[in-house]
Amino acid sequence: MSGASRIAEQLDAAALARSPLARPFTDADPDLDLETAYAVQRLLVRARVERGARPIGAKLGLTSRAKQEQMNVSSPLYGRLTSDMLWPAGVPIGQGPFIRPRIEPEIGFLIGEPIPAPASALSVLAATTAVFAAIEIIDSRYSDFRFRLADVVADNASSAGLVVGDRLVDPAAAGSLRTVGCVLRIDGEVVATAAGAAVLGHPAHAVAWLVNELAARGESLPTGAIVLSGALTDAFRLEPGSSAVAEFDGLGSVEAVC
Ligand code: OOG
Ligand code: MG
């Protein structure tokens, strides 16, 4: 069995059992490389597809300074989203399939046409059918979210779930995503605020980074893909019985209820 298959098997089993791995792989293998880690992601998606899910898009992670500082990892990364990760807005998620979930406010993109590489924020916006408010639910298959870059890439960038707002906004009508304001409330209390520029200067720039990274690995975003451009703020633990609302200027709001 290759290194990637062995790692994928352990991560998949940890997710299914809701039982985190005690140590990240780089503790024993500090040389674990990013290509192996991205190969692990592909195997994890394959396992989900074999269980009936379908790929729906991708997510950026660690695209904001807030998140990089929170996780002590200084490089962006991406992961893959599948249909079994979608949760309806406002409907209690309960424990769901998660170990210790956290929520993040994000700006979502619905991709309407192929984006050639090298991509830019402008070419991404030109190919985007709609932008929308989203809450990403992240979870780590490593105990206490302790990992280095290669570990978290292998763990599909902590992908676990997403809740999507009900307003699809034409990017031309959305105003500048650089200055769009975001307010995150948990149980009514404002816990964080940010602007779109928190995400690599402009959320569309983060999507362009993703397109270019995928192209370097011979991949591309299919038409109809959903892309989460990365958290604007820290991630927050969502306790059972509580509600998180992310509100964005011009994009409306979205609620995740635990
Ligand atoms: C990695 C995933 C981070 C984001 O939006 O920054 C992420 C993690 O913090 O576990 O999804
Ligand atoms: Mg995220």
Side-chain angles (χ1 to χ4, degrees):
M1 198 189 288
S2 75
S5 325
R6 189 179 45 82
I7 292 172
E9 223 164 66
Q10 290 183 56
L11 287 168
D12 200 40
L16 287 175
R18 286 187 213 156
S19 168
L21 303 177
R23 275 174 291 280
F25 295 98
T26 56
D27 275 10
D29 178 9
D31 297 330
L32 178 64
D33 61 80
L34 279 185
E35 292 320 307
T36 304
Y38 278 111
V40 173
Q41 285 191 5
R42 291 191 284 271
L43 295 172
L44 290 171
V45 170
R46 195 193 291 170
R48 283 179 179 263
V49 167
E50 276 165 9
R51 293 194 286 269
R54 113 197 112 67
I56 56 167
K59 62 160 277 184
L60 279 302
L62 308 181
T63 43
S64 65
R65 189 179 306 241
K67 278 293 307 185
Q68 293 187 356
E69 283 174 359
Q70 183 179 35
M71 306 318 294
N72 202 20
V73 175
S74 60
S75 163
L77 74 170
Y78 64 85
R80 295 151 197 278
L81 302 172
T82 48
S83 53
D84 53 339
M85 297 179 187
L86 276 167
W87 292 87
V91 173
I93 291 167
Q95 175 60 31
F98 311 121
I99 299 168
R100 203 168 161 75
R102 297 177 176 178
I103 54 97
E104 303 176 326
E106 307 212 7
I107 296 175
F109 287 68
L110 179 62
I111 306 301
E113 52 188 78
I115 309 173
S120 65
L122 272 183
S123 68
V124 165
L125 285 172
T128 298
T129 309
V131 287
F132 53 87
I135 288 180
E136 185 184 23
I137 303 164
I138 56 167
D139 197 14
S140 184
R141 272 58 65 168
Y142 304 110
S143 192
D144 298 325
F145 280 77
R146 185 171 76 80
F147 46 65
R148 293 202 180 87
L149 180 62
D151 301 300
V152 61
V153 167
D155 189 22
N156 198 16
S158 305
S159 296
L162 68 153
V163 185
V164 166
D166 59 4
R167 271 178 66 189
L168 291 176
V169 180
D170 179 344
S176 174
L177 295 180
R178 217 177 118 70
T179 51
V180 65
C182 163
V183 177
L184 179 66
R185 280 180 290 141
I186 295 187
D187 295 332
E189 189 191 325
V190 175
V191 292
T193 58
V199 174
L200 292 186
H202 192 302
H205 186 227
V207 181
W209 180 87
L210 167 69
V211 169
N212 297 337
E213 286 284 308
L214 287 173
R217 299 189 173 91
E219 293 184 67
S220 58
L221 285 175
T223 300
I226 285 176
V227 179
L228 295 182
S229 55
L232 286 79
T233 69
D234 287 1
F236 290 83
R237 169 109 180 95
L238 192 59
E239 302 295 341
S242 66
S243 137
V245 176
E247 199 179 336
F248 295 87
D249 267 341
L251 303 182
S253 63
V254 54
E255 180 181 21
V257 182
C258 192

